[in-house]
Amino acid sequence: MEIGDIFEYVNGNAPRFLARDKSGKGFVCPVCGSGSGPNGTGITENPRNPRHFTCWGGDCFRNASLSDMLAVKNGIDTSDAKAVAMNAAKELGLRIDGGNPSEAEKSAKKTAHRRKSSAEAEAAHGGGADFFEKCRLDIGKTDYWKKRGLTKEIADKFNLGFCAGWRHPKTPSAPPTDRLIIPTGGGSYLARATDPGVDRKYGKQKVGPARIFNARALTERGRPVFVVEGEIDAMSVEVAGGRAVGLGSLSMLDALFDEAEAAGKAGGFRPELIIALDNDGGEDGAGNKAQRKAEERTEELLGRGLEVHFADAGRLFLGKKDANEALVHDSSLFKKAVEEAERTALAEADTRREEELSEIRKGSALSSLPLLMKRMGEPNGGGRISTGFCALDGELDGGLYPGLYIIGAISSLGKTTFCLQMADQIAKGSGRDVLVFSLEMSREELMAKSVSRLTAEESLKANGNLSQAKSTRGILSGERFASYSESDRNIIARAIDEYRTFAGRIYIHEGNGETTSETIRRVTERHASATGNAPVVLIDYLQIIDPGRSARGLTDKQATDRNVKALKSLSRDLEATVVCISSFNRDNYSSSVNMASFKESGAIEYSSDVLMGLQYKEMDGISKDGGNVRAKAQNITEKAAKDAKSLKPVRLQLKIIKNRNGSKGSVDFDFYPAFNRFEEPSTGGWIKKS
């Protein structure tokens, strides 16, 4: 084995002679043994200089071949090539000159020969500037491009060339063939056989990374760009007066969209593309399939800032397979087809722009002015709905309006009961449908609460007191019902008769653990569509709305924010009144109601139109009194529990913390927990009668 062969064999097959280090990512250093110790850090190949290695565990070398490493190991001067080669041969057991060559030596010679041939082929046909220039100068030695309908102008524009006896750099032993050389960018090109006798499988061969042919056309604004499959097809469109890029392969379609999007953003314009893939193999042809799949992505592509049009390939290509066949068939007709496709695309773009402008103009204040004037003339104040509580209506500028209302309170303070009474009063007083989404309590429990409240009213009418009023449990318990007197049963019957007068406008949807904001929207939209009117929506309660599968993994705050925004969107889109109950932070159990009271309060604070908090009357301003706030809050809670047990009213306050289109304030209520009744003291109702 000669010295040159030794270097080629040793350094070209270095991994075969090195042991893997403990990390499995490199090799054990033959000089210092690094990689065999506890850290397992050995040597790794230098990505910028193949066949050379760096030692990371010691200070042996930073950029050395295996032959040099072995020389360093034995103290040999690496500048003495012969000494280095002799040392490597000795270390690895290789024969030097004479004797029968081993199989390893034979393999080394073959490898060296193959590498030499490949290097020669790379130098001759590797796609460098010298190669392209030589081929360009030889373009006159073939008329293949003329037979394909291409002009001298196009040949010069795209630097077409010719190479006689071409071989692919990676297969230098293949038979030489004459080729049309089509540069595609950088050192990449397509070598197209000019001899029709060449096997079709090898007729088109590519060198270098995949590139989009004539990609610079994407950066030029003003005219649409045809997107065709082949490089010669793109040049055929250019001959016909159009602008075109060639994919080279259908797999490059996504890369084309990416490049066009990037070009548009960089240049500040909207690229216009006419997709015209091969009309081959009928409906099941690869080009037609790819075209249909691209059409399905129209909305996505428009959203990415691309103006896309899809040509009728059969019409554009004159019934032929592709642009080049159409050009060769009838260049005059093909030119007209290209012009027609451009006109159609430009007309579509104009229409689309007009539609976009029309949509944009709909958002102007001028376009919404008639709606405002109509609302100004509505007798009920633009959709105002009375809550059934006079003082509360006064604080809310007449009642509820379309928008998102959020009501919060600590646990067991009556927020569900308050909202349910308000829902019943809306259904009875305004005749509006109310959708109740109860995510925790059953339909029967809510109905029993309403009937319980009505028995109290019937008892007051009949007796002037609450002696025959029934609690929720008193309504639901069959055992208790069996023990009621006939007079008690008559009170319940009259309460149910009263409930019937408005129950047909109360729609209770029980939660099943999977009620999402999308579910609420879908049910509400269906109801509005069927009845012709947007219902009032009551949700009990916000924090247990399922965020949905698409939002799995969100934090509690993110899930709440998402649902609040969805409910706000629902109220805006349907012009509906949405009332949502919210829980409070535990920290607020001993402080007055405020913005921070609401759990996960980011979106609640900013997205709600009206934000209200229910609390014990005595809690108002408690944090300003000083002293043991927690003890005071505990005393207030205990007193309220005693009052409720003795059927005395619990004094509550509803604070309006935020009112987007009105003022803030508060309303006092007397709450009778046993009979699910809220009363405004200002009316003097139950206080005198009980």
Side-chain angles (χ1 to χ4, degrees), residues 148-428:
R148 301 306 296 262
L150 304 182
T151 63
K152 181 66 166 60
E153 180 185 2
I154 290 298
D156 290 341
K157 177 178 179 179
F158 294 104
N159 293 315
L160 298 190
F162 174 72
C163 182
W166 179 85
R167 288 188 178 94
H168 197 293
K170 292 186 178 179
T171 56
S173 60
T177 53
D178 294 346
R179 299 275 171 160
L180 180 71
I181 304 300
I182 306 174
T184 55
S188 303
Y189 66 92
L190 170 70
R192 185 152 186 155
T194 57
D195 182 355
V198 173
D199 188 334
R200 189 168 181 268
K201 181 179 179 182
Y202 303 105
K204 293 185 285 186
Q205 291 189 278
K206 297 188 176 183
V207 177
R211 309 271 189 183
I212 293 169
F213 178 71
N214 195 31
R216 64 178 177 272
L218 299 171
T219 66
E220 302 168 6
R221 67 173 77 205
R223 289 179 60 194
V225 177
F226 287 83
V227 178
V228 293
E229 288 189 37
E231 293 81 358
I232 289 184
D233 292 326
M235 288 187 282
S236 298
V237 173
E238 296 263 345
V239 169
R243 286 195 308 172
V245 296
L247 296 174
S249 167
L250 290 173
S251 64
M252 294 292 289
L253 196 55
D254 276 321
L256 176 280
F257 292 143
D258 290 343
E259 284 204 34
E261 181 181 6
K265 287 180 178 178
F269 68 100
R270 188 167 188 166
E272 293 191 41
L273 306 176
I274 301 175
I275 314 298
L277 306 181
D278 284 2
N279 179 37
D280 55 349
E283 289 294 312
D284 295 326
N288 288 322
K289 280 185 176 180
Q291 182 108 345
R292 287 198 299 274
K293 286 185 178 180
E295 285 189 61
E296 292 171 1
R297 299 171 59 187
T298 299
E299 289 302 318
E300 170 209 335
L301 298 174
L302 289 173
R304 292 171 61 178
L306 303 178
E307 187 69 50
V308 289
H309 312 277
F310 295 89
D312 180 339
R315 184 182 182 88
L316 175 62
F317 299 149
L318 310 180
K320 302 298 181 180
K321 171 181 171 292
D322 54 36
N324 187 245
E325 285 192 9
L327 178 68
V328 173
H329 173 69
D330 192 321
S331 61
S332 178
L333 280 180
F334 181 55
K335 182 177 181 180
K336 291 180 180 178
V338 168
E339 291 173 350
E340 181 187 350
E342 280 193 353
R343 284 195 299 271
T344 300
L346 291 172
E348 286 180 0
D350 287 342
T351 299
R352 194 172 285 161
R353 275 191 287 270
E354 281 300 318
E355 290 174 350
E356 288 180 351
L357 283 172
S358 178
E359 284 298 312
I360 291 171
R361 292 188 185 109
K362 286 180 182 177
S364 73
L366 179 62
S367 67
S368 301
L369 195 54
L371 180 62
L372 173 62
M373 295 173 70
K374 176 177 179 293
R375 181 163 292 181
M376 288 168 62
E378 290 178 353
N380 68 341
R384 184 183 68 235
I385 302 169
S386 172
T387 64
F389 295 114
C390 295
L392 179 58
D393 284 348
E395 290 294 335
L396 294 175
D397 194 24
L400 303 178
Y401 295 82
L404 177 60
Y405 293 73
I406 295 182
I407 299 177
I410 63 174
S411 179
S412 302
L413 200 67
K415 50 187 179 292
T416 298
T417 302
F418 174 78
C419 290
L420 181 63
Q421 181 175 339
M422 186 168 65
D424 287 351
Q425 290 169 176
I426 289 171
K428 179 180 179 181

Side-chain angles (χ1 to χ4, degrees), residues 439 513-518 544-549 552 562-563:
L439 309 186
E514 296 182 356
T515 300
T516 65
S517 56
E518 288 80 7
I544 55 175
I545 298 176
D546 190 324
R549 292 181 181 177
R552 298 292 189 219
R562 183 179 186 274
N563 288 327

